[in-house]
Amino acid sequence: MKDLIQPSTPVDGQLQVAQVQAVAETWSPQHVLSWALQTFGKQVAISSAFGAEGMVLIDMASRISKDFRLFTIDTEFLFAETYNLMDRIEQKYGITIERVYSTLSPEEQQRVHGEALWSSNPDLCCNLRKVEPLRRKLGELSAWITSIRRDQTSVRSSAKRIEWDAKFGLVKVNPIVDWTSKQVWRYIHDHDVPYNALHDQDYPSIGCTHCTRAVRPGEDPRAGRWPGFNKTECGLHIIEPLPASSQVQAATAEGGD
Ligand code: SF4
């Protein structure tokens, strides 16, 4: 299949999304990744917290390019198993993970906002330790690649393979957005991909130590995230509506495909 956008085309995020969005829905994850890496070069990076889905993307990207960018938001509250996996990724794939931190250390956060902010106000804690650092990192980029899947949460159910991220103002690429958990694990086993040891201890979704527990039989896979709170997202993947002009562009492109 011929890509609608050639790699040498200057980046014009919203217009590129409008031109490519509909046709990209038929692309394989590898095709989506290749398109993103060729189109944006060093201006695109994979964002990962190293869950099973993220590991699939990292492995796929390593088979396309030896020189792709990978970053993580290190809240400084991650599990030892996650830090161990980060070391294994750097060794296996020969890359350096770009680690992004909050401007507040855990000690400073406690001093300013009180003890255990994750218990009293998890939205503020996530904003300080995840959303603000992510916003800072995305300010360097023209596009980011995520491993979200539509069936993970209601917020993610309408995500496209390639979309304009109005919240952060750049192109968002979701290569495995239509995959199931079963497909993810089949890829991991077929390609001998490393994964977080906690997945074998009933942690299907892994975040900070303070806000993640193992799930019990029959529970939703994300039931172990923010237990006790009506919260399923840290705010990184909340989709905000496109400006009216972009919606017209997108509708025009889809109608003319
Ligand atoms: S997941 Fe919990 S500890 Fe981590 S940033 Fe969010 S509220 Fe804080």
Side-chain angles (χ1 to χ4, degrees):
M1 180 188 301
K2 183 179 182 299
D3 290 0
L4 292 182
I5 296 171
Q6 298 304 310
S8 59
T9 304
V11 173
D12 178 358
Q14 292 188 48
L15 188 56
Q16 286 201 349
V17 167
Q19 288 176 319
V20 79
Q21 189 173 61
V23 71
E25 289 300 312
T26 65
W27 291 353
S28 69
Q30 289 88 347
H31 190 154
V32 177
L33 268 173
S34 294
W35 173 84
L37 295 174
Q38 289 181 4
T39 302
F40 298 106
K42 288 293 187 187
Q43 286 297 304
V44 66
I46 295 175
S47 166
S48 183
F50 313 112
E53 290 81 3
M55 293 312 305
V56 167
L57 282 192
I58 292 165
D59 190 81
M60 281 181 182
S62 76
R63 295 166 192 270
I64 297 168
S65 167
K66 293 292 163 217
D67 194 24
F68 63 94
R69 289 180 69 182
L70 168 63
F71 76 87
T72 193
I73 308 300
D74 185 349
T75 62
E76 301 177 82
F77 295 141
L78 304 180
F79 287 90
E81 289 84 349
T82 305
Y83 290 114
N84 175 278
L85 178 59
M86 288 162 72
D87 292 342
R88 288 157 59 205
I89 291 166
E90 292 189 325
Q91 281 170 16
K92 178 177 171 77
Y93 298 108
I95 54 174
T96 301
I97 299 168
E98 301 171 34
R99 302 173 195 224
V100 190
Y101 299 94
S102 171
T103 53
L104 291 179
S105 69
E107 295 74 25
E108 287 166 336
Q109 177 169 304
Q110 180 169 331
R111 217 165 28 246
V112 175
H113 296 286
E115 204 167 327
L117 186 61
W118 50 87
S119 295
S120 59
N121 191 342
D123 284 342
L124 176 58
C125 188
C126 276
N127 265 317
L128 292 168
R129 310 213 71 78
K130 291 185 174 183
V131 180
E132 185 284 325
L134 178 71
R135 189 180 294 283
R136 208 180 333 123
K137 187 65 178 175
L138 295 185
E140 300 174 6
L141 301 171
S142 300
W144 65 312
I145 301 170
T146 89
S147 56
I148 61 169
R149 292 189 293 108
R150 288 186 187 125
D151 66 5
Q152 286 172 319
T153 68
S154 58
V155 165
R156 301 178 187 190
S157 63
S158 58
K160 301 277 196 293
R161 282 193 201 282
I162 298 172
E163 57 192 4
W164 178 250
D165 186 335
K167 178 170 184 166
F168 294 113
L170 77 172
V171 176
K172 186 174 184 182
V173 181
N174 309 310
I176 58 168
V177 73
D178 60 342
W179 274 30
T180 62
S181 177
K182 203 169 167 185
Q183 286 174 287
V184 167
W185 282 101
R186 189 182 306 136
Y187 183 98
I188 286 176
H189 294 310
D190 286 352
H191 297 84
D192 197 22
V193 177
Y195 62 87
N196 196 316
L198 289 172
H199 287 313
D200 291 334
Q201 298 167 44
D202 298 321
Y203 286 80
S205 178
I206 302 163
C208 297
T209 54
H210 302 302
C211 302
T212 310
R213 65 157 171 79
V215 299
R216 292 181 279 272
E219 278 190 322
D220 183 272
R222 285 182 72 86
R225 303 295 299 277
W226 301 284
F229 287 91
N230 183 22
K231 177 175 167 71
T232 58
E233 295 272 357
C234 50
L236 307 187
H237 299 293
I238 305 290
I239 299 167
E240 293 183 356
L242 284 169
S245 60
S246 305
Q247 289 176 350
V248 170
Q249 283 179 344
T252 303
E254 285 174 13
D257 183 37

